[in-house]
Each structure stands twice: as C-alpha cells, then as structure tokens.
Amino acid sequence: MSWAAKTIGELCDQSEGIVQTGPFGSQLKQAEYVDDISGVPVVMPKDIKEGTIDEAEIARISESKASALGRHMLDAGDIVFPRRGEISKRGYIKEGGKYFCGTGCLKIHMPDNEVLNKYLFYYLDQDHVVKWLEGRAIGSTMLNLNTSIMRSVNINFPDLNSQKRIVSALSAYDDLIENNKRRIELLEESARQLYKEWFVRFRFPGHEHVKIIDGVPEGWDRGVISDFFDTTSGGTPSRKVPDFYTGDINWVKTQELDEGFIFSTEEKITDEALSKSSAKLFPENTLLVSMYGGTNIGRTGILASPAASNQACCALFPEDERSHYIYASLFFYFKRNELIAVSQGAAQTNINQQMIRGLKINFAPKSLMETFIDTLLPVYDQIKNLQREMAYLTQARDLLLPKLMNGEIAV
C-alpha cells in the first residue's frame, strides 16, 4: 500500500474545499437566536460531543437568518472544531443533518476527492495530531485555533479503496457505540418520565387516596437537600508537581459530568496527590453535581468506581434511609434551569455548596421511595452496562486507529 502526504490546505485547494470559521459576533447577534424547535441548529463548542453533534441544548436561528449567512451552513461530511478551549474535540456532520457553524467553531469542508472526509475525520482524532494542534494553538490560558493552523496540518493517506476499508473498520465500532447511545437515551427518558409522573405531577401509585396539602401530598416530608444529604467538594492537587498526575485514581472535572456513570477520566492522580491536597476519594455511586461553568451548572455524574474530583464538583452522600443517588440525579436533572438562573459570578457563572444544600426537595414515605428505586435500579443497571460496553468499544477503536493510519495493520 503506497501512501501520500499533503496538508489540509493543499487538499482543500485541489478539491474546492475550505477551512472556515463561523460568522463574526456582529453578523449573528444574541437577539437573533430563536426559541423555536423548527429553527436551524447552531453548533457551538459545547454541542460537539464524542464525534457528533448533541442537540440537547443547542441554540437555533431562523431559516431566513441561516439563508442570509448561507456560507456558514454545514454540509454532510463537514468536520467542525471548537475555535477556543477544548480544541481536541471534533464533530462529523452526517447525512440528513442540517446545521449552522456557530461563531465559536471552525469547519473543514472537503469533498471526497483524494481524501475521504470520513477518513480525514478519523485521522484528525489521532493523539499526535491533537498534540500538534495544541502545540501551535494561540493562547496560554485558553487555546485558540485559526484557519492557518488547521490548513497546515499534514495528512498521510493511502489510495481511496484503502481509505474506504479503514473507514469501514472504524465505523463498525462507532455504529455499535451509536446503537448503545440510542438505547441509553430511551432508558434515561423512561426514568425521567417516571420521576415526573410521581414527583412532579404527583400521580404515584395510590395518589387517588392522598390529599394534597400546601402543594405536597399528605405524609410527604418537605425540606432542603441538607436535611437528606451531606455534601462536600473536591480539590485540585498542585500543578507544580507533575508527578501528582501520574497515578491511577480517577480525578473528575465538571466537563466530564454528563448525566451518566463515570468509568474513567482524562486525568488521574496519585495517593500522594490525595494526601497533599483537598481532593478526597469518594465511594462508588457518589453523585457529583457541577457548580461551575455557566450552562454546565447542575449537570451530574455517578461514580462507577471510587474517584476524586476537583473543587468545582459537589459530592452528595445519603443522610436519610430514603436518600438515593438515582432519586437525587433525577431531582437535579429537573432543577438545572433553576440552578443556572440563580448562578452567580463574573467571568464564569457559578453556584456553591450552600446553594445546593438549601435547595427545596420533597421525600415520599419510605415504602413509596423504595418502590420507586426498586423500579429504576434495573434501568440504571442497564444504562451502566451499556456505558461500560461503550467504554470498551471506544478503547478498542482508539487502539486500532493509529495502527490503521500508519499502515501497521492492513485492511
């Protein structure tokens, strides 16, 4: 198998491709976003997750505004990157997807000519490429990409048939991962609907025979989080001691809280790091809540194994026999907008432990709470197993990726 090498810029120039940033803020003002599900989704860095576009909290603009700025629309096969911050992320626009490249993003539009766009998508996920981009990005506190940097990335590629086989091998893993994601979404939605039915609409088993007094079913306890849970936060070991970050203890940051189970983290710390910092080792099934990060506030994660976290995470520990991480995670899911609204801070909106501890919460009698948890435990076990399988598939794909891209494994 023979290989060639060209930069992204060279490939774009030869195939009518383009590397382009989203519109300037003056071209797309905040007031021009619409609260309409039929609007055109605008991809921002926060919406790029695990190689795809997550529409859960995506902003939208009108069709007319998207048409007026048509050069920023994303076509099938386009690759979109954050321009600032987490520049290692990238998303692939699938067939049928209709998206607009937001101000904070950069797109690569490359027709399938010498290099397949899906091959390019996988190639750019390699560690050495990510490190190359990070090493040339502008800024010390927050990395910034520009079109010149992206056009300078060198791409090694074999013939088109070989590229197709490589893409097929890697896509097989992604298809299995995507299938698991869809199953998880259905399970999560069923859990949320049950919570909403019982604890928001108060249509729990036997509700017909229970009076509502001051907005709460008779016999239920009203209180605040601190009545039912103890809380604490984590800490960050000194960055001046690099060895602190060479251990095998998972260390969770708020961007890793995504309403699911946490199996592994980007950074891991040592026992010494724990003992010489305010970081603490939390037990399995601890619920973590994000206190920092604007729209990330209120996101939760459940520890699949003991782990530590930074100080931006609030950890909850049951103080009542009815308290359970499943109930708490669903409570916070429906409280997120309220938490974001009351957040405070200047450069970055934050909440704190006292705000979380003071949140009003209702608890049903023990028998009803036990029925609720017993109903959802099998659901959460399925979610956990599916997420674990996804982690294994991701690991296997990521091990295969560089071997395919350097020709070590032929397909």
Side-chain angles (χ1 to χ4, degrees), residues 173 176-177 180 263-264 384-400:
Y173 287 93
L176 290 171
I177 291 169
N180 277 10
F263 291 92
S264 185
K384 189 175 186 178
N385 289 334
L386 288 168
Q387 288 186 333
R388 182 183 288 111
E389 185 177 308
M390 284 171 58
Y392 290 148
L393 288 167
T394 300
Q395 184 181 36
R397 181 201 62 199
D398 291 348
L399 287 171
L400 182 62

Side-chain angles (χ1 to χ4, degrees), residues 107-209:
K107 76 171 182 178
I108 302 173
H109 173 75
M110 186 172 312
D112 287 341
N113 192 348
E114 276 192 280
V115 172
L116 301 176
N117 48 52
K118 194 64 180 285
Y119 175 89
L120 178 62
F121 169 77
Y122 284 124
Y123 189 92
L124 293 171
D125 193 35
Q126 294 179 93
D127 285 343
H128 76 87
V129 178
V130 172
K131 286 183 172 62
W132 189 94
L133 286 171
E134 290 176 341
R136 286 156 181 78
I138 302 165
S140 53
T141 56
M142 180 176 284
L143 297 178
N144 285 261
L145 278 181
N146 58 41
T147 56
S148 295
I149 295 170
M150 188 60 75
R151 283 177 58 88
S152 299
V153 177
N154 198 63
I155 308 298
N156 296 320
F157 55 95
D159 61 86
L160 283 175
N161 285 331
S162 296
Q163 289 180 48
K164 288 176 183 177
R165 291 193 294 271
I166 289 171
V167 167
S168 178
L170 295 169
S171 294
Y173 287 93
D174 281 342
D175 290 344
L176 290 171
I177 291 169
E178 189 62 32
N179 184 53
N180 277 10
K181 282 183 183 177
R182 287 193 292 268
R183 292 172 65 188
I184 288 169
E185 286 170 3
L186 292 172
L187 291 166
E188 288 176 336
E189 184 59 24
S190 69
R192 290 164 186 164
Q193 287 303 320
L194 186 67
Y195 175 91
K196 199 171 184 178
E197 190 73 359
W198 288 24
F199 298 99
V200 178
R201 301 188 181 111
F202 297 136
R203 292 203 286 257
F204 49 87
H207 71 277
E208 306 93 339
H209 312 295

Side-chain angles (χ1 to χ4, degrees), residues 71 227 239 324:
R71 65 191 292 262
D227 294 329
R239 293 286 185 182
H324 198 279

Side-chain angles (χ1 to χ4, degrees), residues 213-247:
I213 301 174
D214 294 331
V216 177
E218 187 176 20
W220 287 34
D221 289 331
R222 287 193 285 191
V224 293
I225 286 289
S226 61
D227 294 329
F228 305 97
F229 294 91
D230 191 14
T231 66
T232 189
S233 62
T236 300
S238 174
R239 293 286 185 182
K240 295 178 181 179
V241 186
D243 284 351
F244 282 172
Y245 293 87
T246 60

